[in-house]
Amino acid sequence: MPVAKPNSPLVADFDILLNNSPLSVEQESHAIALTVDKDLNLPSMFTLEFTGSATRTQGMEWMDKFQLGDAVTIKMGYVDGLATVMNGEITALEPEFTSDRPPSLTVRGYDRRHRLQRGSKTRTFIKKKDSDIASQIAGEAGLEAKVTDSKVIHEYILQANQTDLEFLQQRARQINDEVFVEDKTLFFRPVNNTGGQTLNLSLEQDLLEFYPRMSTVQIPSQVTVQGWNHKDKKAIVAKAAKDSVTTKMGGKKSGADVSQSAFGTAANFISDRPVMSQAEADQLAQGNLNHGVLGFIAGEGVCWGRTDLEPGKVIRLNDLGKNFSGLYYVTNVTHRYRSDRGYYTYFTVHKNSI
């Protein structure tokens, strides 16, 4: 796949498919801006901006082409190579009609995660794993499920007046999992910061700006979960210390190590959630420790347009000094194209070590 280079920039290009059919050349000629915002924690969204011709009231057939609920595929890249960056559905149409300029239209939509936000529910799940629940909810929303076995069977779980997305994200966050949708497939899996790197960005090549922040505020070095076994009438206690961090992402010291070395032990206690087994408590302690430590370094950057830069991937950033170079986990990517500016990719990353 082509990648823009500062010393040999490529011509940015895009393609829009509506219900699997490409827009005509005339229809695409009205597009002046495309934005695709992909996120691991929120429904990914897209915005398409179109403007009319010089004759304000003529040639507006392109505006009626878009309908709520239509499936949209957006490809971005360069004239000699495009790649799909978004599959979603139109959820809003916002035209503008004024007396001093041609009519315009903004088309907005989300990935199919938005289906999990349609109405709240109150129900219970008995003797199920979180991954089983994710598979069930995916099927109810008309989505395929690709889940990683979460292993622990829960006696009783309550979805209390929550949307399916709120509920799944709450369950995922507690065990350091993530839930997201790609096209028509819902993923429920452990946070993938243990994966291998997929690409390199450096100030010498693609990286245009990067603004990291390292902080030990709210970084735990120990998590303790306390519960009660109603059958055995015994307390349940689970602990995850700084040595329980799953991966240091190529670094030597995790955020938990640095936090404890600099300021002493920072212990988090969790006792406000129903915990009915030792396995459940162990998973909760481990998940909360790893979730907290991943916030040790957070950064936002900009590079030349890269369709291979995706949330849920591990990338390497170079030329940033000893503490801030290295592997990062991508949590948000925004692809932006404007006819008068070209194609750039904005991203948010996290790192749990130095």
PDB file of all heavy atoms in Angstrom, residues 18-19 23 26-27 30 50 57-68 70 90 93 95 97 104-105 107:
ATOM      1  N   LEU A  18     -21.809   3.481  -2.024  1.00  0.00           N
ATOM      2  CA  LEU A  18     -23.112   3.583  -1.385  1.00  0.00           C
ATOM      3  C   LEU A  18     -23.882   2.304  -1.685  1.00  0.00           C
ATOM      4  O   LEU A  18     -24.152   2.000  -2.849  1.00  0.00           O
ATOM      5  CB  LEU A  18     -23.860   4.812  -1.911  1.00  0.00           C
ATOM      6  CG  LEU A  18     -25.070   5.295  -1.113  1.00  0.00           C
ATOM      7  CD1 LEU A  18     -24.658   5.738   0.281  1.00  0.00           C
ATOM      8  CD2 LEU A  18     -25.765   6.438  -1.849  1.00  0.00           C
ATOM      9  N   ASN A  19     -24.185   1.549  -0.614  1.00  0.00           N
ATOM     10  CA  ASN A  19     -24.844   0.245  -0.778  1.00  0.00           C
ATOM     11  C   ASN A  19     -24.074  -0.628  -1.774  1.00  0.00           C
ATOM     12  O   ASN A  19     -24.644  -1.254  -2.673  1.00  0.00           O
ATOM     13  CB  ASN A  19     -26.292   0.426  -1.228  1.00  0.00           C
ATOM     14  CG  ASN A  19     -27.126   1.156  -0.179  1.00  0.00           C
ATOM     15  OD1 ASN A  19     -26.974   0.917   1.017  1.00  0.00           O
ATOM     16  ND2 ASN A  19     -27.999   2.045  -0.630  1.00  0.00           N
ATOM     17  N   LEU A  23     -20.087   5.785  -6.132  1.00  0.00           N
ATOM     18  CA  LEU A  23     -20.705   6.995  -6.643  1.00  0.00           C
ATOM     19  C   LEU A  23     -20.152   7.295  -8.026  1.00  0.00           C
ATOM     20  O   LEU A  23     -19.020   6.933  -8.352  1.00  0.00           O
ATOM     21  CB  LEU A  23     -20.429   8.181  -5.707  1.00  0.00           C
ATOM     22  CG  LEU A  23     -20.994   8.125  -4.286  1.00  0.00           C
ATOM     23  CD1 LEU A  23     -20.670   9.422  -3.549  1.00  0.00           C
ATOM     24  CD2 LEU A  23     -22.492   7.872  -4.279  1.00  0.00           C
ATOM     25  N   GLU A  26     -19.385  12.264 -11.395  1.00  0.00           N
ATOM     26  CA  GLU A  26     -20.061  13.547 -11.192  1.00  0.00           C
ATOM     27  C   GLU A  26     -20.486  13.721  -9.745  1.00  0.00           C
ATOM     28  O   GLU A  26     -20.323  14.805  -9.162  1.00  0.00           O
ATOM     29  CB  GLU A  26     -21.282  13.634 -12.122  1.00  0.00           C
ATOM     30  CG  GLU A  26     -21.899  15.020 -12.242  1.00  0.00           C
ATOM     31  CD  GLU A  26     -22.854  15.355 -11.095  1.00  0.00           C
ATOM     32  OE1 GLU A  26     -23.456  14.409 -10.542  1.00  0.00           O
ATOM     33  OE2 GLU A  26     -22.995  16.540 -10.746  1.00  0.00           O
ATOM     34  N   GLN A  27     -21.002  12.660  -9.134  1.00  0.00           N
ATOM     35  CA  GLN A  27     -21.434  12.753  -7.742  1.00  0.00           C
ATOM     36  C   GLN A  27     -20.239  12.953  -6.811  1.00  0.00           C
ATOM     37  O   GLN A  27     -20.288  13.762  -5.888  1.00  0.00           O
ATOM     38  CB  GLN A  27     -22.202  11.480  -7.364  1.00  0.00           C
ATOM     39  CG  GLN A  27     -23.568  11.371  -8.033  1.00  0.00           C
ATOM     40  CD  GLN A  27     -24.145   9.968  -7.984  1.00  0.00           C
ATOM     41  OE1 GLN A  27     -23.437   8.995  -7.725  1.00  0.00           O
ATOM     42  NE2 GLN A  27     -25.443   9.862  -8.234  1.00  0.00           N
ATOM     43  N   HIS A  30     -18.571  16.499  -6.210  1.00  0.00           N
ATOM     44  CA  HIS A  30     -19.121  17.465  -5.264  1.00  0.00           C
ATOM     45  C   HIS A  30     -18.503  17.316  -3.865  1.00  0.00           C
ATOM     46  O   HIS A  30     -18.728  18.170  -3.006  1.00  0.00           O
ATOM     47  CB  HIS A  30     -20.642  17.309  -5.169  1.00  0.00           C
ATOM     48  CG  HIS A  30     -21.380  17.684  -6.416  1.00  0.00           C
ATOM     49  ND1 HIS A  30     -21.635  18.989  -6.763  1.00  0.00           N
ATOM     50  CD2 HIS A  30     -21.903  16.926  -7.413  1.00  0.00           C
ATOM     51  CE1 HIS A  30     -22.297  19.024  -7.907  1.00  0.00           C
ATOM     52  NE2 HIS A  30     -22.462  17.782  -8.332  1.00  0.00           N
ATOM     53  N   PHE A  50     -20.319  17.710   1.006  1.00  0.00           N
ATOM     54  CA  PHE A  50     -20.523  17.938  -0.416  1.00  0.00           C
ATOM     55  C   PHE A  50     -21.001  19.378  -0.637  1.00  0.00           C
ATOM     56  O   PHE A  50     -21.669  19.956   0.230  1.00  0.00           O
ATOM     57  CB  PHE A  50     -21.580  16.981  -0.979  1.00  0.00           C
ATOM     58  CG  PHE A  50     -21.227  15.522  -0.866  1.00  0.00           C
ATOM     59  CD1 PHE A  50     -21.504  14.815   0.300  1.00  0.00           C
ATOM     60  CD2 PHE A  50     -20.615  14.866  -1.914  1.00  0.00           C
ATOM     61  CE1 PHE A  50     -21.190  13.471   0.408  1.00  0.00           C
ATOM     62  CE2 PHE A  50     -20.296  13.513  -1.826  1.00  0.00           C
ATOM     63  CZ  PHE A  50     -20.582  12.817  -0.663  1.00  0.00           C
ATOM     64  N   THR A  57     -29.865  26.388  -7.758  1.00  0.00           N
ATOM     65  CA  THR A  57     -31.071  25.564  -7.749  1.00  0.00           C
ATOM     66  C   THR A  57     -31.063  24.485  -8.825  1.00  0.00           C
ATOM     67  O   THR A  57     -32.062  23.794  -9.011  1.00  0.00           O
ATOM     68  CB  THR A  57     -32.320  26.451  -7.949  1.00  0.00           C
ATOM     69  OG1 THR A  57     -32.199  27.164  -9.192  1.00  0.00           O
ATOM     70  CG2 THR A  57     -32.473  27.440  -6.808  1.00  0.00           C
ATOM     71  N   GLN A  58     -29.947  24.337  -9.515  1.00  0.00           N
ATOM     72  CA  GLN A  58     -29.876  23.349 -10.585  1.00  0.00           C
ATOM     73  C   GLN A  58     -28.895  22.227 -10.211  1.00  0.00           C
ATOM     74  O   GLN A  58     -27.982  22.413  -9.423  1.00  0.00           O
ATOM     75  CB  GLN A  58     -29.420  24.014 -11.894  1.00  0.00           C
ATOM     76  CG  GLN A  58     -30.349  25.118 -12.389  1.00  0.00           C
ATOM     77  CD  GLN A  58     -31.720  24.593 -12.758  1.00  0.00           C
ATOM     78  OE1 GLN A  58     -31.838  23.501 -13.310  1.00  0.00           O
ATOM     79  NE2 GLN A  58     -32.752  25.359 -12.462  1.00  0.00           N
ATOM     80  N   GLY A  59     -29.146  21.072 -10.781  1.00  0.00           N
ATOM     81  CA  GLY A  59     -28.202  19.970 -10.615  1.00  0.00           C
ATOM     82  C   GLY A  59     -28.064  19.491  -9.191  1.00  0.00           C
ATOM     83  O   GLY A  59     -26.959  19.268  -8.716  1.00  0.00           O
ATOM     84  N   MET A  60     -29.199  19.331  -8.482  1.00  0.00           N
ATOM     85  CA  MET A  60     -29.148  18.896  -7.089  1.00  0.00           C
ATOM     86  C   MET A  60     -29.476  17.417  -6.931  1.00  0.00           C
ATOM     87  O   MET A  60     -29.720  16.944  -5.828  1.00  0.00           O
ATOM     88  CB  MET A  60     -30.107  19.740  -6.249  1.00  0.00           C
ATOM     89  CG  MET A  60     -29.685  21.194  -6.130  1.00  0.00           C
ATOM     90  SD  MET A  60     -30.914  22.217  -5.300  1.00  0.00           S
ATOM     91  CE  MET A  60     -31.114  21.339  -3.770  1.00  0.00           C
ATOM     92  N   GLU A  61     -29.452  16.650  -8.030  1.00  0.00           N
ATOM     93  CA  GLU A  61     -29.780  15.235  -7.936  1.00  0.00           C
ATOM     94  C   GLU A  61     -28.816  14.493  -7.012  1.00  0.00           C
ATOM     95  O   GLU A  61     -29.192  13.522  -6.351  1.00  0.00           O
ATOM     96  CB  GLU A  61     -29.771  14.591  -9.326  1.00  0.00           C
ATOM     97  CG  GLU A  61     -30.822  15.110 -10.296  1.00  0.00           C
ATOM     98  CD  GLU A  61     -30.423  16.428 -10.960  1.00  0.00           C
ATOM     99  OE1 GLU A  61     -29.276  16.899 -10.723  1.00  0.00           O
ATOM    100  OE2 GLU A  61     -31.240  16.980 -11.721  1.00  0.00           O
ATOM    101  N   TRP A  62     -27.554  14.937  -6.961  1.00  0.00           N
ATOM    102  CA  TRP A  62     -26.568  14.288  -6.117  1.00  0.00           C
ATOM    103  C   TRP A  62     -26.979  14.306  -4.642  1.00  0.00           C
ATOM    104  O   TRP A  62     -26.668  13.395  -3.881  1.00  0.00           O
ATOM    105  CB  TRP A  62     -25.205  14.980  -6.274  1.00  0.00           C
ATOM    106  CG  TRP A  62     -25.227  16.447  -5.936  1.00  0.00           C
ATOM    107  CD1 TRP A  62     -25.497  17.468  -6.780  1.00  0.00           C
ATOM    108  CD2 TRP A  62     -24.999  17.034  -4.643  1.00  0.00           C
ATOM    109  NE1 TRP A  62     -25.448  18.672  -6.114  1.00  0.00           N
ATOM    110  CE2 TRP A  62     -25.146  18.431  -4.793  1.00  0.00           C
ATOM    111  CE3 TRP A  62     -24.688  16.525  -3.395  1.00  0.00           C
ATOM    112  CZ2 TRP A  62     -24.991  19.319  -3.733  1.00  0.00           C
ATOM    113  CZ3 TRP A  62     -24.526  17.406  -2.329  1.00  0.00           C
ATOM    114  CH2 TRP A  62     -24.678  18.785  -2.509  1.00  0.00           C
ATOM    115  N   MET A  63     -27.715  15.345  -4.241  1.00  0.00           N
ATOM    116  CA  MET A  63     -28.115  15.477  -2.844  1.00  0.00           C
ATOM    117  C   MET A  63     -29.139  14.413  -2.450  1.00  0.00           C
ATOM    118  O   MET A  63     -29.163  13.942  -1.308  1.00  0.00           O
ATOM    119  CB  MET A  63     -28.672  16.881  -2.586  1.00  0.00           C
ATOM    120  CG  MET A  63     -28.985  17.155  -1.115  1.00  0.00           C
ATOM    121  SD  MET A  63     -29.525  18.855  -0.805  1.00  0.00           S
ATOM    122  CE  MET A  63     -28.011  19.755  -1.085  1.00  0.00           C
ATOM    123  N   ASP A  64     -29.994  14.022  -3.396  1.00  0.00           N
ATOM    124  CA  ASP A  64     -31.036  13.041  -3.102  1.00  0.00           C
ATOM    125  C   ASP A  64     -30.525  11.606  -3.186  1.00  0.00           C
ATOM    126  O   ASP A  64     -31.286  10.664  -2.943  1.00  0.00           O
ATOM    127  CB  ASP A  64     -32.206  13.226  -4.079  1.00  0.00           C
ATOM    128  CG  ASP A  64     -32.865  14.591  -3.935  1.00  0.00           C
ATOM    129  OD1 ASP A  64     -32.948  15.079  -2.784  1.00  0.00           O
ATOM    130  OD2 ASP A  64     -33.264  15.173  -4.960  1.00  0.00           O
ATOM    131  N   LYS A  65     -29.257  11.445  -3.494  1.00  0.00           N
ATOM    132  CA  LYS A  65     -28.678  10.113  -3.627  1.00  0.00           C
ATOM    133  C   LYS A  65     -28.565   9.411  -2.281  1.00  0.00           C
ATOM    134  O   LYS A  65     -28.625   8.184  -2.185  1.00  0.00           O
ATOM    135  CB  LYS A  65     -27.290  10.234  -4.270  1.00  0.00           C
ATOM    136  CG  LYS A  65     -26.549   8.929  -4.475  1.00  0.00           C
ATOM    137  CD  LYS A  65     -27.143   8.117  -5.584  1.00  0.00           C
ATOM    138  CE  LYS A  65     -26.311   6.870  -5.869  1.00  0.00           C
ATOM    139  NZ  LYS A  65     -26.899   6.024  -6.929  1.00  0.00           N
ATOM    140  N   PHE A  66     -28.426  10.188  -1.198  1.00  0.00           N
ATOM    141  CA  PHE A  66     -28.143   9.621   0.121  1.00  0.00           C
ATOM    142  C   PHE A  66     -29.428   9.487   0.937  1.00  0.00           C
ATOM    143  O   PHE A  66     -30.248  10.407   0.981  1.00  0.00           O
ATOM    144  CB  PHE A  66     -27.144  10.509   0.867  1.00  0.00           C
ATOM    145  CG  PHE A  66     -25.872  10.728   0.111  1.00  0.00           C
ATOM    146  CD1 PHE A  66     -25.707  11.839  -0.712  1.00  0.00           C
ATOM    147  CD2 PHE A  66     -24.832   9.812   0.194  1.00  0.00           C
ATOM    148  CE1 PHE A  66     -24.541  12.038  -1.420  1.00  0.00           C
ATOM    149  CE2 PHE A  66     -23.656  10.009  -0.513  1.00  0.00           C
ATOM    150  CZ  PHE A  66     -23.506  11.120  -1.321  1.00  0.00           C
ATOM    151  N   GLN A  67     -29.584   8.344   1.599  1.00  0.00           N
ATOM    152  CA  GLN A  67     -30.754   8.087   2.434  1.00  0.00           C
ATOM    153  C   GLN A  67     -30.308   7.523   3.779  1.00  0.00           C
ATOM    154  O   GLN A  67     -29.285   6.830   3.877  1.00  0.00           O
ATOM    155  CB  GLN A  67     -31.703   7.093   1.743  1.00  0.00           C
ATOM    156  CG  GLN A  67     -32.216   7.536   0.382  1.00  0.00           C
ATOM    157  CD  GLN A  67     -33.075   8.791   0.448  1.00  0.00           C
ATOM    158  OE1 GLN A  67     -33.795   9.007   1.428  1.00  0.00           O
ATOM    159  NE2 GLN A  67     -33.001   9.618  -0.597  1.00  0.00           N
ATOM    160  N   LEU A  68     -31.074   7.818   4.820  1.00  0.00           N
ATOM    161  CA  LEU A  68     -30.774   7.266   6.137  1.00  0.00           C
ATOM    162  C   LEU A  68     -30.791   5.742   6.077  1.00  0.00           C
ATOM    163  O   LEU A  68     -31.677   5.145   5.457  1.00  0.00           O
ATOM    164  CB  LEU A  68     -31.783   7.763   7.164  1.00  0.00           C
ATOM    165  CG  LEU A  68     -31.815   9.268   7.440  1.00  0.00           C
ATOM    166  CD1 LEU A  68     -32.893   9.599   8.472  1.00  0.00           C
ATOM    167  CD2 LEU A  68     -30.457   9.764   7.919  1.00  0.00           C
ATOM    168  N   ASP A  70     -28.534   3.899   4.631  1.00  0.00           N
ATOM    169  CA  ASP A  70     -27.695   3.397   3.546  1.00  0.00           C
ATOM    170  C   ASP A  70     -26.334   2.949   4.081  1.00  0.00           C
ATOM    171  O   ASP A  70     -25.770   3.570   4.995  1.00  0.00           O
ATOM    172  CB  ASP A  70     -27.472   4.478   2.484  1.00  0.00           C
ATOM    173  CG  ASP A  70     -28.679   4.654   1.567  1.00  0.00           C
ATOM    174  OD1 ASP A  70     -29.595   3.808   1.619  1.00  0.00           O
ATOM    175  OD2 ASP A  70     -28.701   5.644   0.802  1.00  0.00           O
ATOM    176  N   ILE A  90     -25.416   5.427   7.250  1.00  0.00           N
ATOM    177  CA  ILE A  90     -25.801   6.836   7.364  1.00  0.00           C
ATOM    178  C   ILE A  90     -26.855   6.993   8.461  1.00  0.00           C
ATOM    179  O   ILE A  90     -27.867   6.297   8.472  1.00  0.00           O
ATOM    180  CB  ILE A  90     -26.352   7.362   6.026  1.00  0.00           C
ATOM    181  CG1 ILE A  90     -25.262   7.337   4.956  1.00  0.00           C
ATOM    182  CG2 ILE A  90     -26.895   8.784   6.188  1.00  0.00           C
ATOM    183  CD1 ILE A  90     -25.748   7.746   3.573  1.00  0.00           C
ATOM    184  N   LEU A  93     -28.493  13.412   7.846  1.00  0.00           N
ATOM    185  CA  LEU A  93     -28.283  14.220   6.645  1.00  0.00           C
ATOM    186  C   LEU A  93     -28.530  15.677   7.017  1.00  0.00           C
ATOM    187  O   LEU A  93     -29.572  16.014   7.574  1.00  0.00           O
ATOM    188  CB  LEU A  93     -29.240  13.789   5.528  1.00  0.00           C
ATOM    189  CG  LEU A  93     -29.109  12.341   5.040  1.00  0.00           C
ATOM    190  CD1 LEU A  93     -30.265  11.989   4.118  1.00  0.00           C
ATOM    191  CD2 LEU A  93     -27.771  12.127   4.338  1.00  0.00           C
ATOM    192  N   PRO A  95     -28.395  19.199   5.165  1.00  0.00           N
ATOM    193  CA  PRO A  95     -28.192  20.126   4.046  1.00  0.00           C
ATOM    194  C   PRO A  95     -28.197  21.577   4.521  1.00  0.00           C
ATOM    195  O   PRO A  95     -28.706  21.895   5.606  1.00  0.00           O
ATOM    196  CB  PRO A  95     -29.385  19.838   3.138  1.00  0.00           C
ATOM    197  CG  PRO A  95     -30.447  19.386   4.077  1.00  0.00           C
ATOM    198  CD  PRO A  95     -29.764  18.662   5.202  1.00  0.00           C
ATOM    199  N   PHE A  97     -29.149  25.416   2.848  1.00  0.00           N
ATOM    200  CA  PHE A  97     -29.678  26.183   1.719  1.00  0.00           C
ATOM    201  C   PHE A  97     -29.624  27.664   2.084  1.00  0.00           C
ATOM    202  O   PHE A  97     -30.239  28.088   3.067  1.00  0.00           O
ATOM    203  CB  PHE A  97     -31.125  25.779   1.422  1.00  0.00           C
ATOM    204  CG  PHE A  97     -31.301  24.312   1.149  1.00  0.00           C
ATOM    205  CD1 PHE A  97     -31.722  23.445   2.148  1.00  0.00           C
ATOM    206  CD2 PHE A  97     -31.048  23.795  -0.110  1.00  0.00           C
ATOM    207  CE1 PHE A  97     -31.893  22.091   1.885  1.00  0.00           C
ATOM    208  CE2 PHE A  97     -31.209  22.441  -0.377  1.00  0.00           C
ATOM    209  CZ  PHE A  97     -31.636  21.589   0.617  1.00  0.00           C
ATOM    210  N   SER A 104     -25.311  22.871   0.113  1.00  0.00           N
ATOM    211  CA  SER A 104     -24.297  21.894   0.531  1.00  0.00           C
ATOM    212  C   SER A 104     -24.976  20.810   1.363  1.00  0.00           C
ATOM    213  O   SER A 104     -26.107  20.972   1.831  1.00  0.00           O
ATOM    214  CB  SER A 104     -23.185  22.573   1.344  1.00  0.00           C
ATOM    215  OG  SER A 104     -23.708  23.143   2.528  1.00  0.00           O
ATOM    216  N   LEU A 105     -24.261  19.712   1.554  1.00  0.00           N
ATOM    217  CA  LEU A 105     -24.807  18.587   2.308  1.00  0.00           C
ATOM    218  C   LEU A 105     -23.707  17.944   3.121  1.00  0.00           C
ATOM    219  O   LEU A 105     -22.618  17.656   2.606  1.00  0.00           O
ATOM    220  CB  LEU A 105     -25.413  17.547   1.359  1.00  0.00           C
ATOM    221  CG  LEU A 105     -25.925  16.257   2.013  1.00  0.00           C
ATOM    222  CD1 LEU A 105     -27.143  16.539   2.881  1.00  0.00           C
ATOM    223  CD2 LEU A 105     -26.253  15.209   0.946  1.00  0.00           C
ATOM    224  N   VAL A 107     -23.104  14.537   5.279  1.00  0.00           N
ATOM    225  CA  VAL A 107     -23.605  13.187   5.538  1.00  0.00           C
ATOM    226  C   VAL A 107     -22.832  12.623   6.720  1.00  0.00           C
ATOM    227  O   VAL A 107     -21.602  12.593   6.706  1.00  0.00           O
ATOM    228  CB  VAL A 107     -23.418  12.283   4.301  1.00  0.00           C
ATOM    229  CG1 VAL A 107     -23.927  10.868   4.592  1.00  0.00           C
ATOM    230  CG2 VAL A 107     -24.118  12.880   3.087  1.00  0.00           C
TER     231      VAL A 107
END
